[in-house]
């Protein structure tokens, strides 16, 4: 059987990059999507190739339909198959109350986090579902523990976008359960990546780690190992699961 092929969105940095490295080490061929930082994505690809794996970088904004179509077409021509999708690309924004939120901010938050995930899932199902002649596969969506907390005073819009991912995961899991595709979500807690600085809070981890029952932040690798398990044949009867990777938070 040909080596399984995986597309990870937002895989140049953070949790996506850690997942790409771990997946390649587990034998997956990996398409490393990014939106702006080509150097970071190229570095992930070089690392995988140097270790004997197969990967390529592909630019594209998950919130733009034509970019998503091109990304999947690039995977089709490069790998000739698709067995897994990790919907990892996601954004936060500045700390704000709901009464301060602009429609521009909401458009970006929902477009990247929600519409991006749904567009990529649509293209993956078209390729993997036995209903469409595919061989099945697995989808893992990156939600957040914020979906269960609401993130008041910080970014309720982000938390709500991730709650949408939870419900989408449940619905899609049941829709394609009999078509060879498992769909699950991982809900990370406070993880050490650059996302906090991108939302204008570079010290967020130090400020919040005391609120985590384990009294520490998680690593991108700790989230990646949960994603890999859900992608793998080691979880054949798990679908529609929302797995907290949050140190007990
Ligand atoms: P990160 O370090 O900020 O990395 C985000 C990645 O997503 C980057 O590779 C970025 O590409 C890419 N990206 C952003 N917008 C994109 C778009 N429109 N199209 C395609 N790619 C895009 O983030 P992270 O902390 O690893 O987070 C990964 C996922 O986990 C997100 O969905 C996030 O909401 C979720 N999560 C994170 C935490 C946490 O504490 N870190 C907690 C809960 C949930 P460039 O490199 O090109 O900019």
């Amino acid at each position: 059987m040909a080596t399984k092929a995986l597309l990870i969105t937002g895989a140049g940095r953070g949790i996506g990059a850690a997942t790409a490295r771990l997946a390649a080490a587990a034998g997956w061929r990996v398409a490393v999507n990014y939106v702006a930082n080509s150097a970071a994505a190229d570095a992930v690809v070089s690392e995988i190739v140097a270790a004997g794996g197969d990967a390529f970088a592909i630019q594209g904004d998950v919130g733009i339909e034509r970019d998503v179509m091109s990304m999947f077409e690039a995977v089709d021509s490069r790998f000739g198959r698709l067995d897994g999708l990790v919907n990892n690309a996601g954004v936060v924004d500045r700390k704000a109350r709901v009464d301060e939120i602009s429609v521009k901010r909401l458009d970006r938050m929902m477009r990247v986090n929600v519409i991006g995930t749904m567009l990529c899932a649509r293209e993956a199902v078209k390729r993997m579902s036995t209903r469409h002649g595919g061989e099945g596969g697995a989808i893992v969506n990156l939600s957040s523990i914020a979906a269960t907390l609401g993130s008041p005073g910080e970014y309720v819009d982000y938390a709500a976008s991730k709650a949408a991912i939870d419900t989408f995961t449940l619905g899609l899991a049941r829709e394609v359960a009999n078509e060879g595709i498992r769909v699950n979500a991982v809900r990370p807690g406070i993880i050490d990546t650059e996302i906090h600085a991108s939302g204008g809070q570079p010290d967020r981890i130090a400020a919040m780690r005391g609120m985590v029952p384990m009294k520490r932040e998680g690593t991108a690798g700790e989230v990646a190992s949960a994603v890999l398990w859900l992608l793998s044949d080691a979880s054949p009867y798990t679908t529609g699961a929302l797995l907290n990777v949050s140190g007990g938070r």
Side-chain angles (χ1 to χ4, degrees), residues 9-17 33-38 40-41 60-64 71 87-92 108 111-113 142-146 158 162 186-196 198 204-205 220 223:
T9 65
R13 296 184 288 121
I15 293 166
N33 160 252
Y34 67 97
V35 67
N37 192 336
S38 59
D61 183 334
V62 295
I64 298 176
M71 278 160 50
N87 269 316
N88 167 79
V91 292
V92 294
R108 169 179 174 263
R111 182 154 284 281
V112 176
N113 293 2
L142 266 293
S143 173
S144 170
I145 204 68
Y158 171 78
K162 293 301 186 177
V186 170
R187 292 200 286 220
I190 297 174
I191 310 300
D192 185 11
T193 72
E194 293 166 353
I195 201 170
H196 313 287
S198 76
R204 185 168 182 267
I205 289 175
V223 180

Side-chain angles (χ1 to χ4, degrees), residues 143-221:
S143 173
S144 170
I145 204 68
T148 69
L149 301 170
S151 305
E154 193 172 35
Y155 27 60
V156 168
D157 49 349
Y158 171 78
S161 78
K162 293 301 186 177
I165 296 307
D166 285 0
T167 303
F168 180 67
T169 300
L170 288 176
L172 181 61
R174 290 167 181 162
E175 192 166 292
V176 298
N178 198 28
E179 299 172 22
I181 305 178
R182 295 181 302 102
V183 186
N184 294 288
V186 170
R187 292 200 286 220
I190 297 174
I191 310 300
D192 185 11
T193 72
E194 293 166 353
I195 201 170
H196 313 287
S198 76
Q201 299 187 70
D203 302 326
R204 185 168 182 267
I205 289 175
M208 298 192 73
R209 70 164 64 95
M211 292 157 67
V212 180
M214 281 191 185
K215 301 295 175 201
R216 69 166 179 90
E217 67 273 31
T219 67

